[in-house]
């Protein structure tokens, strides 16, 4: 028993060439657009991934970014310092002090995991991408250079008008309002005391008891 094969599809001679020429003709009629880089900077999307900036004050050396990095391109060194007790009889505490924070961008694949896992918002995306080097060793950015990239991080987008106010801003606003109210109350009390006190230069003001006339 011989197997049956489907009949070969009949092909028009030269159909492939005709399709290729049709693509060529459509492309020829389109106007070419040339990006004039670097004379004209490209318009990057707001969430573009360029380089990573470090906000050192927020870093607690928790090492989450270095542990979760799939390329192991983040290098962190730190030491412990003893913090004196805040109150007499209190207990001394120890805290981590950051000595080195470096990112090797020759290994980084820009996955953004380090930024996502950071619990204290110490790492941010910057849209800057012009940091090519002739020496690969210069692509390891230390914390001073990572701090400079923070100046290029764009401001976060505005919240939706119907969104709730962030808890941090609400707490800061309430604290500022309380301080302003207390300051205004203190100024009002001081003004009332000053206006109610007898004027020593007024000759009609009677002397105090035990004083000389």
């Amino acid at each position: 028993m011989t197997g049956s094969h489907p009949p070969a599809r009949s092909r028009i001679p030269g159909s492939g060439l005709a399709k290729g020429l049709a693509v060529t003709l459509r492309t020829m009629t389109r106007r070419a657009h040339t990006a004039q880089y670097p004379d004209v900077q490209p318009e990057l999307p707001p969430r573009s991934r360029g380089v990573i900036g470090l906000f050192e004050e927020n870093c607690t050396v928790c090492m989450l970014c270095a542990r979760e990095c799939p390329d192991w391109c983040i290098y962190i060194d730190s030491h412990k310092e003893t913090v004196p007790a805040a109150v007499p009889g209190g207990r001394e505490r120890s805290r981590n002090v950051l000595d080195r924070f470096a990112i090797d961008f020759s290994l980084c694949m820009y996955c953004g995991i380090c930024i996502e896992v950071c619990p204290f918002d110490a790492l941010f995306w910057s849209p800057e991408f012009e940091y090519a080097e002739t020496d690969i060793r210069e692509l390891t950015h230390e914390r001073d250079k990572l701090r400079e990239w923070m100046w290029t991080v764009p401001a976060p987008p505005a919240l939706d008008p119907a969104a709730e106010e962030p808890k941090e801003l609400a707490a800061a606003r309430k604290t500022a309002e309380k301080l302003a109210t207390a300051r205004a109350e203190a100024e009002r009390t001081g003004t009332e005391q000053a206006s109610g006190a007898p004027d020593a230069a007024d000759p009609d003001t009677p002397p105090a008891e035990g004083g000389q006339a």
Side-chain angles (χ1 to χ4, degrees):
M1 182 177 179
T2 59
S4 60
H5 298 281
R9 300 179 60 182
S10 60
R11 302 180 62 181
I12 302 176
S15 60
L17 178 61
K19 291 180 180 179
L21 290 175
V23 174
T24 303
L25 292 174
R26 286 198 303 268
T27 306
M28 290 176 59
T29 58
R30 295 176 184 173
R31 185 176 180 180
H33 175 73
T34 303
Q36 302 298 329
Y37 177 83
D39 297 330
V40 178
Q41 293 293 323
E43 295 183 3
L44 300 176
R47 298 183 63 184
S48 59
R49 298 183 177 187
V51 71
I52 299 174
L54 171 67
F55 190 58
E56 186 178 336
E57 287 76 4
N58 286 357
C59 182
T60 61
V61 201
C62 65
M63 303 295 291
L64 273 177
C65 56
R67 288 200 298 264
E68 297 296 332
C69 177
D71 290 334
W72 293 89
C73 64
I74 300 178
Y75 312 109
I76 300 176
D77 293 330
S78 65
H79 69 276
K80 290 187 176 292
E81 287 186 356
T82 302
V83 180
V87 295
R91 185 180 63 180
E92 295 182 346
R93 299 182 180 274
S94 62
R95 66 183 181 94
N96 292 323
V97 179
L98 185 66
D99 293 328
R100 185 194 183 199
F101 195 110
I103 299 178
D104 187 355
F105 287 103
S106 65
L107 298 177
C108 179
M109 64 179 185
Y110 304 93
C111 62
I113 293 178
C114 57
I115 298 177
E116 293 177 3
V117 301
C118 180
F120 301 104
D121 291 335
L123 297 173
F124 296 87
W125 278 120
S126 167
E128 294 293 326
F129 61 92
E130 298 176 315
Y131 53 93
E133 301 287 350
T134 56
D135 189 350
I136 193 174
R137 291 172 295 184
E138 298 296 329
L139 287 176
T140 300
H141 295 187
E142 299 292 336
R143 65 176 185 177
D144 294 337
K145 194 166 186 178
L146 294 175
R147 178 59 182 265
E148 293 178 2
W149 290 123
M150 280 299 302
W151 300 108
T152 64
V153 174
L159 295 177
D160 188 276
E164 295 182 359
E165 186 180 21
K167 296 181 180 180
E168 297 82 1
L169 293 180
R173 179 176 52 78
K174 291 181 180 179
T175 303
E177 290 176 355
K178 290 181 180 179
L179 291 176
T181 302
R183 189 179 297 109
E185 183 66 21
E187 293 177 356
R188 184 180 62 82
T189 304
T191 303
E192 292 179 353
Q193 291 178 353
S195 60
D199 191 354
D202 189 356
D204 296 334
T205 301
E209 294 183 1
Q212 296 179 359

